[in-house]
Amino acid sequence: MFFKKIIYTLLCAALSAAAPLAAQDPEMLLMGLASGTSANPASSPMPMLMTQFGDWRAMFMGTAFVSDIQQSGPRGGDKLYSTNWFMASAEHKVGAKGAFETELMLSLEPATVTNRSYPLLFQTGETAYGLPLTDAQHPHNFIMALAFHYVYQLGEDTVLDAYIAPVGDPALGPTAYPHRDSAAELPEAPISHHWQDSTHISDDVVTLGISHKKVKLEASGFHGAEPGENRWIVQAGPIDSWSARFWFFPAANWAAQVSAGRIAHPEALEPGDQVRTTASLHYNKPMPGGAWSSSLIWGRDHSTATFRNLNSYLAESVLPIRRKNWITGRFEVVEKDELFSNQPDLEQQLDALYGSTFRIGAYTIGYTRDIGLFRHIQTGVGANFTAYSLPGSIKSYYGGHPEGGNIFVRFRLVGEP
C-alpha cells in the first residue's frame, strides 16, 4: 500500500507538471534511446563520445566497474570481479523524414566475472555449470546487442519505428538497469532483475512502434529462452514470445511505462512459460555536475507451470552533490521461490513446512567520489552497503542479519564538459 501511494503521488505530480513537448525528430529520437527502444526521461544526461564520419553520426558509450564484494552469513561469498559494457552506434538520415541506426554493444564479463557468476545474496535466475544460480548473479553476454533501427516521421508529432535485432531488447519492462540513470552508480544487479528487465538480452527481436507527442506504443516478438552458459556466442531461436509496452512522457523530466508479455520457457531447468507484467515511473532533474535520477518499478512474474504470481518492488535513486559526489540508494522487496532450487530435497522440506515463497528485502546505500584522472573517462571510487530482511523460517540458512558490501572503481566514457 505504501508503494502504491508513492507511485500515485509521483504520477499526479508528473501530470500536473506536464507541458507540450517539441515535435518529434527522427534523429533525436534515436539518439535519446537507452536499451533497445526504451528511454530514460528526455532531460537525462547521456554520457558519450560523438564524432562524424561523412554523413554518419557515431556515438560511443561505456561503463566499467572493478569491484570487490564481501557478503556475510552461511550463503554469502566474496569476489573480485568487473561488470562492464561498451556500445557503439552509427546514425544516418534516410531521405527528408527518416533515419537509420545500427548498434553494437559488447561486454567482457564472460572473462571478468570468473566461474560464471559473482556472489549476490538472494539473487536467482539462469544457470552455471548446469545448476540453477542461487545467491549469485550471472555475467552478461559478450554480445549484449546487435541491432538495426529505422524511424520515419509520419507527421509533425508522429513517428513510426522498426527495430530488428539478432540480439536486443524487446518492448518489455523498464529501461534495463545497466542503462538506467538511477542505477548508474551501482555495480551489482538488483535482486528483482528477473521480475522486471531480464529480457534486455534476447535473441531474434522484432519491434514495431508508433510515437505521437507524449505517448508511444510498441509491440515485440522475440525468442524467450534466457542466454545459455556459453556467453561468447549468439544463440538464435524461433520467435516464440511476445510483448507490448506503452510509454507516457508528460514532461522532459518524466517517463512512465506499463508493459506485459508472455515469455516462452525462459529458464532452461524450469518448466512452463512466464507471463510478465511491469510498470515504472522515472524522474530526472538536471543539477550542477549531473542529474538527480529516481525510479519506481513494479514487476510480476506468473508461472504457467506452478500458477504462482510473484511480485517485486524497487525504488532507486542517485543524487549528485557538489559536482563530484554521488549518493545512491536502492530498496527492493521481492517474492522468491527459487532460493533452494539447487537443493531439491531441502526445497521440498521447506515447502511442506513454510510454503514455497519467501519475501526478501534488500536495502542498499552507497557513495561515489569522482576523481579526475583522464580527459574522456569519468573515474570514481565508491562503496555501497546492503542489509537484508527475510522470514524467520530461513534465517538458519542465511543467518539472522545477512549483509553485504561492495568497494569499487568506476570508469565511464564522457564527452567534453
Side-chain angles (χ1 to χ4, degrees):
M1 182 61 69
F2 176 69
F3 205 91
K4 292 180 180 178
K5 287 181 179 178
I6 293 176
I7 293 177
Y8 177 77
T9 301
L10 287 175
L11 186 57
C12 288
L15 291 171
S16 66
L21 300 181
Q24 297 275 17
D25 178 87
E27 290 182 282
M28 296 305 296
L29 188 149
L30 286 174
M31 288 183 60
L33 296 177
S35 175
T37 58
S38 68
N40 290 301
S43 65
S44 297
M46 294 195 69
M48 68 173 68
L49 295 176
M50 296 184 62
T51 189
Q52 201 83 14
F53 297 101
D55 294 333
W56 289 85
R57 178 185 297 169
M59 293 160 283
F60 303 95
M61 305 176 69
T63 298
F65 291 90
V66 179
S67 308
D68 182 79
I69 191 169
Q70 303 282 333
Q71 297 187 314
S72 71
R75 293 168 71 100
D78 58 86
K79 189 168 193 170
L80 179 67
Y81 68 103
S82 172
T83 52
N84 51 81
W85 60 269
F86 171 80
M87 184 177 75
S89 63
E91 177 270 332
H92 192 282
K93 282 188 175 181
V94 179
K97 296 184 177 182
F100 171 80
E101 181 184 58
T102 181
E103 173 187 292
L104 175 65
M105 186 182 304
L106 304 175
S107 174
L108 291 177
E109 289 182 21
T112 61
V113 177
T114 57
N115 294 323
R116 304 183 185 180
S117 68
Y118 63 86
L120 188 59
L121 281 169
F122 301 103
Q123 183 67 299
T124 57
E126 302 196 26
T127 63
Y129 302 103
L131 297 174
L133 274 172
T134 57
D135 303 303
Q137 169 65 30
H138 61 80
H140 288 117
N141 284 26
F142 173 61
I143 299 180
M144 293 179 67
L146 173 61
F148 308 93
H149 200 170
Y150 173 75
V151 296
Y152 179 79
Q153 190 168 6
L154 191 63
E156 182 181 4
D157 297 310
T158 305
V159 174
L160 298 175
D161 66 281
Y163 171 87
I164 298 175
V167 183
D169 189 348
L172 179 59
T175 297
Y177 78 89
H179 313 280
R180 195 164 61 231
D181 289 340
S182 56
E185 298 299 325
L186 291 167
E188 68 271 34
I191 63 169
S192 53
H193 176 47
H194 283 265
W195 278 244
Q196 298 169 358
D197 55 3
S198 65
T199 55
H200 73 111
I201 301 178
S202 295
D203 297 320
D204 299 285
V205 181
V206 177
T207 300
L208 297 176
I210 183 168
S211 307
H212 181 71
K213 293 186 177 179
K214 303 174 185 178
V215 300
K216 181 178 182 180
L217 181 63
E218 49 190 350
S220 295
F222 59 100
H223 182 57
E226 295 277 10
E229 292 189 35
N230 187 346
R231 304 284 175 175
W232 295 102
I233 64 174
V234 175
Q235 299 164 310
I239 295 178
D240 53 13
S241 306
W242 65 267
S243 65
R245 181 165 60 193
F246 175 79
W247 286 96
F248 178 45
F249 305 97
N253 289 358
W254 295 88
Q257 68 84 31
V258 293
S259 59
R262 186 182 181 106
I263 310 169
H265 195 204
E267 297 286 352
L269 301 181
E270 295 182 17
D273 300 347
Q274 284 183 1
V275 177
R276 180 170 298 167
T277 311
T278 80
S280 60
L281 181 63
H282 310 273
Y283 172 76
N284 180 81
K285 182 180 180 180
M287 300 178 68
W292 176 28
S293 299
S294 302
S295 299
L296 295 174
I297 303 171
W298 166 75
R300 170 184 287 176
D301 280 343
H302 169 78
S303 169
T304 63
T306 65
F307 302 103
R308 295 173 187 158
N309 289 320
L310 300 177
N311 291 282
S312 69
Y313 307 89
L314 178 148
E316 190 178 71
S317 190
V318 59
L319 174 67
I321 299 175
R322 296 185 178 181
R323 297 185 179 272
K324 291 188 176 182
N325 304 281
W326 304 85
I327 303 296
T328 298
R330 175 188 281 163
F331 308 100
E332 303 177 78
V333 175
V334 189
E335 295 170 344
K336 295 274 184 174
D337 68 347
E338 301 173 334
L339 295 175
F340 302 93
S341 57
N342 58 357
Q343 300 172 277
D345 292 340
L346 176 59
E347 184 177 46
Q348 291 180 8
Q349 179 183 350
L350 291 171
D351 190 2
L353 291 172
Y354 306 111
S356 58
T357 302
F358 306 99
R359 175 166 286 198
I360 306 299
Y363 315 100
T364 301
I365 189 72
Y367 169 75
T368 309
R369 168 73 177 184
D370 281 340
I371 53 176
L373 294 181
F374 309 102
R375 181 181 177 188
H376 289 297
I377 298 178
Q378 185 183 25
T379 307
V381 293
N384 61 51
F385 173 81
T386 303
Y388 298 93
S389 62
L390 66 163
S393 56
I394 60 173
K395 285 187 176 181
S396 60
Y397 304 99
Y398 281 93
H401 302 282
E403 54 196 29
N406 270 286
I407 56 173
F408 58 83
V409 181
R410 180 258 292 138
F411 305 94
R412 179 178 295 119
L413 283 178
V414 293
E416 295 294 342

